[in-house]
Amino acid sequence: MSSTKSNKPTTMAELLASHKTSFVNVSKGQVLSGTITKLTSSEILIDIGAKTEAVVLEKDKRILKSLLTSLKVGDTVTVSVLNPESDYGNPVVSLRRFNDERIWERLENLQKNKEQVDVTVGELTKGGFLVSTKDGLSGFLPNSQTTFLQNAENLVGKEIKVLVIELNRALRKVIFSQKATATAEDFAKATKNLKVGQIIETTISNIAPFGIFSTIELDDKTLAEGFVHISEVSWGKQASIPEEFKAGEKIKTQIVGFDKESKRVNLSIKRLVKDPFEEKLKSFVPDQKVSGNVSKILSSGVLVTLGEGIEGFIKKDKIPPTLSYSEGSLVNATVVEVDIKKHRVILVPVLTEKPLMYR
């Protein structure tokens, strides 16, 4: 009968050597997964597999409130080790990174699904408001993204509904919009007493390369956003907004339309005065012979300067193959029609002889 050797330890030394600890060795900066075992306003404990439970250190009341309202005992979380062992023998950890990741994921989902979120309006800045979510994440609400539903100055301290319109996780940039939560019906109701052609005074809120944003105070002291496109600033061609316009300045404007999608009142400054080109254009009539210099060659045709700010235009299909133009060259042409809206005179070149196949 053969005997088998037992693998069981027979001495105390072998017994100790055979015992393998299952405890995790904790070091500062380490990121570990754990399970919440206690969750109160005074203490949060997490089992991370160490000899003792880890204690969460969080002094920011907003973050602490976020953790208490969104987590429960038994939840699995990720912690960052601040101190491997405190004076009481417990590892000290932080849930800030975990909470931050969770908030950003939520914001990304809110933006993707266009869901509203509650924020509290805090500090008033030059361009808008600093706001914060219940999770404790701060963001920015530009003046241009507040609604006509209430006076912007009265927003401070209030909880409002907004949409996330811009996120940049690397720069920790969050832009909210209150205006995006308003409906077309809200806009129509707020601006019901405004009419196209009405002259109103507005306050410039922001100046962009493409136009002037302004604030319109409605009858009930609420606010609406107005916008003057660069083409509506003056009758002359504008390459940029004149420096005379400054944020905070009051300007007189005329209502030219309502943008229900952007929830914005379209305004004009130039229409407060008569179009100076209308009178000048009366001097041009069909079949009249005119001359001018080429100011620009376009893919669609040739622009010709006729003097006093009047522009002539020869369509590409009216230029025969045997005729070519260059900027500055003199053009003799005949007036076909006058486009009052574009301040442009439509021309055809004067030909000494009609080329073959010319239309």
Side-chain angles (χ1 to χ4, degrees):
M1 184 175 180
S2 61
S3 63
T4 58
K5 187 177 180 181
S6 174
N7 291 325
K8 293 183 179 180
T10 56
T11 65
M12 181 59 72
E14 289 178 347
L15 182 64
L16 291 173
S18 67
H19 179 71
K20 294 181 180 179
T21 179
S22 60
F23 295 137
V24 173
N25 291 321
V26 181
S27 58
K28 186 176 181 179
Q30 193 173 5
V31 177
L32 298 168
S33 179
T35 304
I36 298 175
T37 58
K38 185 177 182 180
L39 186 67
T40 69
S41 57
S42 59
E43 189 176 42
I44 301 177
L45 299 180
I46 300 176
D47 180 6
I48 58 173
K51 294 179 182 178
T52 57
E53 290 171 307
V55 178
V56 175
L57 177 65
E58 185 52 69
K59 295 181 180 180
D60 191 316
K61 291 182 179 179
R62 291 183 305 170
I63 296 177
L64 183 59
K65 182 180 179 181
S66 172
L67 295 172
L68 293 173
T69 56
S70 60
L71 297 174
K72 64 183 184 299
V73 172
D75 281 351
T76 299
V77 295
T78 302
V79 302
S80 301
V81 179
L82 302 177
N83 184 355
E85 189 173 349
S86 69
D87 294 339
Y88 298 99
N90 299 86
V92 180
V93 298
S94 171
L95 280 171
R96 184 167 294 205
R97 182 185 296 179
F98 170 81
N99 191 59
D100 196 41
E101 290 285 328
R102 192 166 51 88
I103 292 172
W104 277 100
E105 287 178 6
R106 178 169 174 258
L107 287 173
E108 288 168 356
N109 287 330
L110 288 170
Q111 183 185 33
K112 180 181 178 181
N113 299 321
K114 296 182 179 180
E115 292 181 29
Q116 296 183 14
V117 60
D118 292 321
V119 297
T120 301
V121 181
E123 183 182 348
L124 174 65
T125 68
K126 184 179 179 180
F129 303 86
L130 296 180
V131 299
S132 59
T133 66
K134 292 179 179 180
D135 299 309
L137 187 71
S138 297
F140 186 62
L141 173 66
N143 284 328
S144 61
Q145 293 300 328
T146 58
T147 70
F148 42 80
L149 300 177
Q150 51 194 307
N151 192 308
E153 293 179 358
N154 296 332
L155 283 177
V156 176
K158 289 188 176 180
E159 185 174 274
I160 60 173
K161 291 188 180 297
V162 295
L163 286 178
V164 180
I165 59 172
E166 186 178 340
L167 281 178
N168 189 318
R169 197 163 180 173
L171 299 176
R172 298 190 64 78
K173 180 181 178 182
V174 187
I175 304 295
F176 294 108
S177 172
Q178 182 193 27
K179 185 171 70 175
T181 65
T183 65
E185 289 73 22
D186 292 330
F187 175 69
K189 183 178 179 181
T191 57
K192 64 181 179 180
N193 294 326
L194 299 179
K195 308 295 180 185
V196 171
Q198 184 179 345
I199 296 173
I200 59 174
E201 186 176 68
T202 70
T203 304
I204 296 175
S205 58
N206 188 34
I207 296 175
F210 50 87
I212 301 171
F213 292 92
S214 66
T215 300
I216 303 168
E217 187 171 307
L218 304 173
D219 294 339
D220 57 356
K221 303 302 180 182
T222 58
L223 304 175
E225 184 181 48
F227 178 65
V228 183
H229 190 270
I230 188 170
S231 63
E232 291 292 336
V233 173
S234 72
W235 287 108
K237 285 191 173 182
Q238 292 286 142
S240 61
I241 304 297
E243 293 183 0
E244 63 191 82
F245 295 102
K246 306 289 183 183
E249 176 190 1
K250 291 186 180 296
I251 55 172
K252 190 171 287 187
T253 61
Q254 184 179 66
I255 298 174
V256 294
F258 299 90
D259 188 337
K260 293 181 180 180
E261 185 176 345
S262 298
K263 303 171 187 70
R264 185 183 293 153
V265 182
N266 291 329
L267 306 169
S268 175
I269 296 173
K270 75 179 186 182
R271 300 193 199 190
L272 295 173
V273 297
K274 188 176 180 181
D275 182 355
F277 293 98
E278 281 188 23
E279 198 64 35
K280 295 176 183 178
L281 287 168
K282 288 179 181 179
S283 62
F284 295 90
V285 294
D287 296 326
Q288 178 184 349
K289 297 295 188 290
V290 296
S291 61
N293 296 98
V294 174
S295 60
K296 197 170 185 179
I297 309 290
L298 304 173
S299 60
S300 57
V302 176
L303 294 178
V304 180
T305 301
L306 299 176
E308 295 188 292
I310 303 299
E311 190 175 62
F313 181 66
I314 303 175
K315 295 180 181 179
K316 184 178 180 179
D317 61 4
K318 295 300 180 182
I319 303 173
T322 56
L323 189 61
S324 62
Y325 295 108
S326 60
E327 289 190 14
S329 61
L330 181 66
V331 175
N332 294 311
T334 301
V335 175
V336 176
E337 63 174 300
V338 178
D339 190 332
I340 300 288
K341 188 175 181 180
K342 292 185 177 180
H343 295 156
R344 181 177 285 179
V345 179
I346 308 302
L347 307 170
V348 293
V350 173
L351 305 174
T352 54
E353 60 181 50
K354 189 173 182 179
L356 185 67
M357 302 299 289
Y358 178 68
R359 294 170 286 177

